[in-house]
Every structure is written in structure tokens, then in C-alpha cells.
Amino acid sequence: MISMDDHKRYYKVAFGLAVFTILYNLAEGILSTYLGFTDESLVLFGFGTDSFIEVISGLGIAHMVIRIRRNPGSKRDEFERTALRITGFAFYILVAGLVITSCYNIWTGHQPITTFWGVVISGVSILVMWALVLWKRKVGKKLQSEPILADANCTLVCVYMSVILLVSSGLYAWFGLPYVDSIGTLGLSYFAFKEGRECFEKARSDRYCCCD
């Protein structure tokens, strides 16, 4: 058991991590979509768009932390369910756009100008997101909070997507492999679809994470 002062301190840390996640994803989204557009890298552009969607999800997480701090035994409220539904719809729209554009790029043989920034951004993202996973797990264990631990586990999806961006961007930057940008985008689409499905599953129930 932890003291009441430590209890309050760890909840402040949890809220701070949620806010940092929102701000980081916002900055990552702006940078990635801009560079993805100028470099004609669909996988980087899609990665950035996913980051914007994660901002919406992050708002729901920040609200959740405030709720469970005030009432640890409370259930998911309407604000969180609405945020989950909006996030789910946004992921499905993203998936449709990425799949269609990927297939078009493969059909026309379109290649990005460069994927250098994809390598840089993905490398930074892996480090930041993995640190967030470890920190959220530490806070969740200290507070014995299932919601915070679930959020930490779901943050792993961002690590997986960053790895896809790193691999696809690296293979094109170093070996010039054709279609790898589009194939990487389809990989992002797979995880985005899973995230969208999980958002709707969580919105319909009181489970905190449908991630596996």
C-alpha cells in the first residue's frame, strides 16, 4: 500500500503522462503529415494522421484519469464512450483512405521522393512511446489501477506502428525497394483497423483494454 500523499502524486503523474501523450501526438502528427506530403511518403503521412486520431483518444484517457482519481470504482462515463466512438470512426476512415491510396500507388508504381524523415521520426517515436509504456506501467502498478495499466498496454500499438514506419522507410532509404512504402502503409492500416474495432468494443462495455 502507498500513502495518501503518494497516491495523489502518482495520479498527478498519470495525468501528466496523458497530457504529454496528447501534446506529443499533436506535434508528431503535424510534422509527419507535412513531411509525408512534401516527400510523397504515404506511410509517413498515414502515420501522422494516426497521431492526430491518437490525440482524440488521449483526451478520453486524460478524462479517465481524472474520473478514477475522484472515484476509483467508477465506470466509464458518456464522455469517454463518445471519445471512443469518434476515435473508432476516425480509424475506419483512415484505414479506407490508406488502403485505397496504397493500392493506387502500387498500381501506378508511385515511389516517395525520400523516406529519410520517416526513419528519423520513427526512431524518436519508438523511444518516446516505449518510455511512456514503462512509465505508465510503473504508475499503474503503484496505484493498482487496471485502467492505467490497460492504457500502458494499448500504448504498445503505437510502438508497433513506429516499427513499421522505421522498417518500411529504412528499406526504401537504404535499398530503394519498390512498393515498400505502400506495403508499410498497409501494415499501418492493419493496426489502425484493430484500434478502431477495439474502440467500439470498449465503448460498448466497461472493459478497459481489448488489446492483445
Side-chain angles (χ1 to χ4, degrees), residues 85-180:
R85 294 187 193 102
I86 293 172
T87 305
F89 277 119
F91 275 127
Y92 281 165
I93 292 171
L94 174 63
V95 169
L98 292 182
V99 169
I100 291 171
T101 310
S102 295
C103 293
Y104 175 79
N105 284 353
I106 292 173
W107 177 263
T108 60
H110 177 271
Q111 303 295 332
I113 297 172
T114 177
T115 55
F116 169 78
W117 288 113
V119 174
V120 174
I121 291 174
S122 60
V124 173
S125 182
I126 289 171
L127 293 175
V128 172
M129 288 300 159
W130 185 244
L132 281 173
V133 169
L134 296 178
W135 208 344
K136 288 179 180 181
R137 282 179 175 173
K138 178 181 178 180
V139 173
K141 288 176 181 177
K142 289 290 185 180
L143 293 171
Q144 297 182 342
S145 172
E146 179 189 352
I148 294 175
L149 287 171
D151 177 43
N153 291 333
C154 290
T155 303
L156 276 174
V157 177
C158 297
V159 178
Y160 300 152
M161 297 180 86
S162 299
V163 170
I164 289 175
L165 175 62
L166 176 62
V167 172
S168 60
S169 297
L171 287 174
Y172 186 81
W174 292 315
F175 303 107
L177 296 181
Y179 310 120
V180 70

Side-chain angles (χ1 to χ4, degrees), residues 1-11 142-143:
M1 295 292 292
I2 60 175
S3 66
M4 186 60 69
D5 288 340
D6 285 340
H7 191 269
K8 292 179 181 178
R9 180 168 63 86
Y10 279 117
Y11 267 117
K142 289 290 185 180
L143 293 171

Side-chain angles (χ1 to χ4, degrees), residues 17-31:
L17 291 173
V19 172
F20 175 82
T21 304
I22 293 170
L23 295 177
Y24 178 82
N25 277 311
L26 183 61
E28 183 179 74
I30 293 171
L31 192 61

Side-chain angles (χ1 to χ4, degrees), residues 63-71 74-75 80 208:
H63 176 83
M64 178 197 74
V65 172
I66 295 173
R67 173 178 60 79
I68 61 176
R69 180 177 61 185
R70 293 173 178 170
N71 186 0
S74 62
K75 302 218 180 212
E80 292 167 57
Y208 281 106

